[in-house]
Amino acid sequence: MLQDAIVRRLEIVGEAARRLSDDARNELSHIRWSQIIGIQDIILHQCDRVDLDFLWQVAMNDLPQLARQLAPHLPDRP
């Protein structure tokens, strides 16, 4: 279940990155948008290439860093 949840969340993050405007991506150009979108593409369309160990590392290391980078640009949550 955890594995499925992580894969699903990475799909969602990738789709959100894909939907960002070019202006937003340019404003946050230090973020590797193409890699984020690329992971989503592999998960959705090339499932035979999914490396679960790699996705675990992304979830444990890269997603928290991405969240910190995006936090100043997101509206406050109640």
Side-chain angles (χ1 to χ4, degrees):
M1 286 175 55
L2 178 60
Q3 176 180 304
D4 286 346
I6 289 170
V7 170
R8 178 66 180 134
R9 295 300 177 204
L10 291 172
E11 287 176 21
I12 292 168
V13 170
E15 184 61 24
R18 183 183 306 282
R19 292 181 183 203
L20 281 177
S21 68
D22 289 338
D23 289 341
R25 282 194 213 149
N26 289 334
E27 183 179 330
L28 301 167
S29 60
H30 60 284
I31 295 175
R32 298 176 298 186
W33 298 112
S34 61
Q35 288 183 333
I36 294 169
I37 294 167
I39 288 172
Q40 184 223 17
D41 184 57
I42 290 170
I43 291 170
L44 291 175
H45 305 292
Q46 303 171 33
C47 20
D48 60 317
R49 292 186 53 205
V50 171
D51 179 342
L52 296 174
D53 291 329
F54 172 74
L55 294 184
W56 179 255
Q57 292 304 314
V58 168
M60 294 296 99
N61 300 316
D62 298 331
L63 282 184
Q65 179 181 350
L66 178 62
R68 286 190 299 275
Q69 291 173 320
L70 292 175
H73 305 279
L74 298 174
D76 291 331
R77 292 179 142 185

